């Protein structure tokens, strides 16, 4: 069963309908600066199975700094940060986080406060408002790239960086995207300026699964 809707409404519907420990996966795509609060609330309501998978989109642009810190610093998460290109706009780099959530002493607890993340969250919200008025692809370049560089550098100083990236190769009339795990200290490749959509017709873009495993899948 898939429950659609904003977290303010959907969480209560799921709890009333299915009860505790009924949610196997959560996909978060609302305001990124609220991800961490929504996730902590879900944990405190004991909605998640043990373990459960939580996926969050757009955590680099426009950004979800408190969420990234939470899921990468607290021991009840096993998280990968996936570097990829925004769908429909290849110049836009973004992150998706994929976390396995386990029960434990820190489950449902707040993360350690980091003052430097407050400024990032304010900037994230400003970019989100601008993106809602136009689209994220219209914000490509300065100052969005400068913000993303600041965002990335802040987390590198905290010992957090992307762990996987999406590699897309075009062979003939077909494009194949697959996950590639980064080695410690390795950065994802820089965008080479190519947009596979320009070389393809509909239905010729495929995803290859079963290669690189997420951290949460590893024993």
């Amino acid at each position: 069963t898939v429950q659609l809707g904003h977290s303010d409404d959907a969480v209560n519907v799921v709890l009333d309908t299915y009860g505790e420990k009924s949610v196997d996966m959560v996909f978060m795509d609302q305001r990124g600066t609220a991800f961490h609060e929504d996730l902590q609330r879900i944990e405190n309501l004991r909605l998640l199975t043990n373990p459960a998978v939580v996926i969050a989109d757009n955590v680099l642009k426009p950004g979800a700094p408190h969420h990234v810190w939470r899921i990468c610093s607290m021991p009840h998460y096993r998280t990968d940060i996936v570097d990829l290109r925004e769908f429909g706009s290849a110049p836009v780099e973004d992150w998706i986080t994929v976390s396995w959530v386990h029960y434990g002493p820190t489950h449902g607890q707040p993360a350690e406060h980091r003052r430097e993340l407050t400024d990032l969250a304010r900037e994230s919200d400003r970019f989100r408002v601008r993106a809602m008025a136009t689209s994220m692809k219209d914000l490509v370049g300065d100052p969005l790239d400068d913000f993303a560089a600041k965002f990335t550098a802040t987390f590198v100083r905290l010992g957090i960086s992307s762990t996987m990236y999406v590699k897309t190769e075009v062979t003939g009339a077909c494009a194949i995207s697959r996950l590639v795990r980064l080695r410690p200290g390795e950065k994802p490749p820089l965008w080479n300026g190519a947009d596979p959509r320009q070389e393809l017709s509909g239905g010729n873009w495929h995803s290859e699964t079963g290669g690189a495993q997420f951290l949460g899948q590893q024993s």
Side-chain angles (χ1 to χ4, degrees):
T1 301
V2 177
Q3 177 65 52
L4 303 178
H6 193 280
S7 56
D8 288 346
D9 304 313
V11 167
N12 292 327
V13 171
V14 171
L15 183 61
D16 291 342
T17 305
Y18 303 103
E20 295 183 356
K21 296 187 177 181
S22 59
V23 176
D24 296 307
M25 191 187 80
V26 176
F27 179 74
M28 308 179 82
D29 194 23
Q30 67 274 32
R31 180 167 59 92
T33 50
F35 284 176
H36 64 296
E37 295 172 340
D38 288 341
L39 181 54
Q40 185 180 348
R41 178 185 173 217
I42 290 170
E43 291 178 13
N44 281 320
L45 291 171
R46 298 179 62 83
L47 272 176
L48 301 177
T49 56
N50 187 26
V53 178
V54 174
I55 301 171
D57 196 11
N58 304 125
V59 298
L60 175 63
K61 296 177 181 177
H66 292 298
H67 177 72
V68 173
W69 173 243
R70 177 180 181 83
I71 59 175
C72 292
S73 68
M74 301 183 76
H76 66 287
Y77 300 105
R78 298 199 70 189
T79 294
D80 275 302
I81 299 175
V82 183
D83 184 277
L84 74 170
R85 293 287 146 184
E86 183 76 15
F87 179 76
S89 183
V92 179
E93 179 188 17
D94 202 358
W95 288 353
I96 284 180
T97 59
V98 182
S99 304
W100 263 249
V101 187
H102 296 263
Y103 280 76
T106 58
H107 191 270
Q109 299 301 307
E112 177 190 356
H113 176 72
R114 302 292 306 200
R115 180 182 299 177
E116 62 266 52
L117 302 183
T118 302
D119 289 339
L120 283 180
R122 292 194 184 105
E123 290 186 67
S124 294
D125 280 338
R126 286 195 289 269
F127 279 114
R128 180 176 181 272
V129 170
R130 292 176 60 185
M132 291 175 65
T134 55
S135 72
M136 187 58 68
K137 66 181 180 180
D138 293 329
L139 300 179
V140 173
D142 298 337
L144 184 60
D145 287 345
D146 291 339
F147 168 71
K150 177 182 176 181
F151 190 107
T152 302
T154 298
F155 279 102
V156 167
R157 287 193 294 271
L158 293 171
I160 297 168
S161 58
S162 52
T163 59
M164 308 177 86
Y165 73 96
V166 176
K167 181 179 182 180
T168 299
E169 297 177 309
V170 178
T171 303
C174 181
I176 300 176
S177 294
R178 58 178 62 88
L179 283 172
V180 177
R181 178 160 296 283
L182 294 165
R183 295 185 297 272
E186 183 183 9
K187 296 180 180 180
L190 296 175
W191 183 54
N192 62 7
D195 186 346
R197 293 179 306 156
Q198 299 176 354
E199 306 176 39
L200 304 174
S201 57
N204 288 319
W205 198 326
H206 307 284
S207 297
E208 182 181 278
T209 60
Q213 283 191 321
F214 292 108
L215 287 176
Q217 294 175 292
Q218 300 174 14
S219 57

